[in-house]
Amino acid sequence: MLAAIALVVLLALACAGSLVFGSREVALADALAALLDPQLSDIGSIAVRERIPRTVLAVMAGAALGLSGALLQAVTRNPLAEPGILGVNTGASLAVVCGIAFFGASTGQHFLVLALIGAALTAVLVFAIGGVGTGGATPVRLALAGAATTAALSSLVSAVLLPRLQAMEEFRFWQVGDVSRAQWDVMLTVAPVIGIAALVGLVVAPLLDVLALGDDVARGLGVSATGVRVLGAGAGIALGGAAHAAAGPIAFVGLAVPHVLRILVGSSQRWLLPLSMLGGATLLVAADLVGRVVARPAELESGIVTAIVGAPVLVLVAMRMRGRQ
């Protein structure tokens, strides 16, 4: 409970900072006035209102990525699992690139459908590759399969883009991942997908705790291990694909947040999954804020900031896994 309260407070502070700080700083009182009175037309009020969509998108995408990573880690029992590590982001990018280059995709609805299809197909491919041979899909095999798949699909993305300058210009936003180009119509498109997938993920949280006891114990308690894994993985992939469609391939949020929270509050999915949503939203809003402040008057994409934060966490996870072995 204390962790939840702390994350809510941190998220509120991050959102307030996101509205106040940027290329032009606005006093907190003026920011509140701009929110309460839409008729104000001074430069500070306009700046605050322009920051609202990107803040909302950062909350949505961050929450989706945090929950996606926690779900995929629980389903695969792999602390390295998250949309970026498993190649899901790259698969979604390839699908979007093909849609732009060959089918004229240009709207948020198009990108959402393409990103979800690409994410789902890539996840199936990675799990299939990781499961080949004796021993099944171990954490190391899944990580290696994800890395190999990411490299292969990245090459395909480049092959499609290089001879098509217009498609490359359209795709530049997807190369790093950022929330600065937030649009209400895109957010309204992805919101139902994120909402439904998040609800499914939170509903299966108690069943994931049962599944952690072993498939035999789960079957003895009347829980279908396969059904729980399908629901959990499907929700995780949908969350990652929807976040990708709205904000581009933002990596490491789904890896860093659940792992840090697992150290702080334990591995019970009933707490870990909702806290991962709060933690993911807080991290992405803070990353967007840091990117605006450290590079002023220019901006550093939030996907770059999350990579800087997430890379050390990846090293920490690898060291902990080696220590256990």
Side-chain angles (χ1 to χ4, degrees):
M1 182 61 70
L2 290 177
I5 295 174
L7 285 174
V8 169
V9 171
L10 288 174
L11 178 59
L13 292 175
C15 289
S18 179
L19 296 178
V20 170
F21 295 104
S23 58
R24 171 182 291 274
E25 291 187 16
V26 180
L28 183 59
D30 293 337
L32 289 174
L35 293 175
L36 296 175
D37 186 358
Q39 302 301 322
L40 294 176
S41 57
D42 58 281
I43 296 178
S45 299
I46 295 173
V48 169
R49 283 194 286 270
E50 287 180 348
R51 293 167 187 166
I52 294 176
R54 68 188 299 169
T55 303
V56 173
L57 177 56
V59 171
M60 288 176 53
L65 291 171
L67 181 56
S68 175
L71 283 169
L72 292 176
Q73 289 170 18
V75 168
T76 63
R77 299 177 186 173
N78 180 1
L80 294 176
E82 69 105 26
I85 297 295
L86 295 181
V88 171
N89 286 349
T90 310
S93 293
L94 178 60
V96 171
V97 166
C98 291
I100 294 172
F102 303 126
F103 304 105
S106 59
T107 67
Q109 291 84 350
H110 294 158
F111 293 160
L112 173 62
V113 173
L114 291 168
L116 290 177
I117 293 174
L121 292 178
T122 305
V124 171
L125 176 63
V126 169
F127 278 98
I129 295 174
V132 172
T134 58
T138 64
V140 174
R141 286 184 176 180
L142 283 176
L144 292 175
T149 302
T150 297
L153 296 184
S154 296
S155 298
L156 291 176
V157 169
S158 298
V160 173
L161 286 178
L162 286 177
R164 299 172 177 84
L165 294 178
Q166 185 174 357
M168 182 179 293
E169 182 68 21
E170 187 75 22
F171 182 73
R172 283 197 312 166
F173 166 63
W174 297 87
Q175 288 182 309
V176 177
D178 194 23
V179 297
S180 62
R181 291 177 57 182
Q183 298 177 354
W184 288 114
D185 59 338
V186 175
M187 287 187 279
L188 291 175
T189 301
V190 302
V193 177
I194 292 177
I196 293 172
L199 180 61
V200 172
L202 295 176
V203 167
V204 301
L207 302 179
L208 290 172
D209 282 330
V210 175
L211 201 62
L213 301 174
D215 290 2
D216 293 337
V217 175
R219 281 192 291 268
L221 295 174
V223 175
S224 170
T226 302
V228 172
R229 287 197 178 95
V230 169
L231 286 175
I237 293 168
L239 287 165
H244 184 97
I250 297 176
F252 290 112
V253 174
L255 170 69
V257 170
H259 183 71
V260 171
L261 289 174
R262 196 176 290 110
I263 295 174
L264 297 176
V265 303
S267 57
S268 173
Q269 302 301 325
R270 302 185 188 191
W271 283 103
L272 186 62
L273 295 186
L275 289 179
S276 293
M277 293 184 67
L278 288 172
T282 303
L283 176 58
L284 191 52
V285 174
D288 179 49
L289 175 58
V290 169
R292 277 185 271 163
V293 172
V294 299
R296 242 175 348 192
E299 293 187 4
L300 188 65
E301 288 82 356
S302 49
I304 295 177
V305 179
T306 59
I308 294 173
V309 173
V313 176
L314 177 60
V315 175
L316 177 61
V317 174
M319 292 176 63
R320 285 170 60 88
M321 290 176 62
R322 182 179 179 182
R324 291 174 181 174
Q325 291 174 353

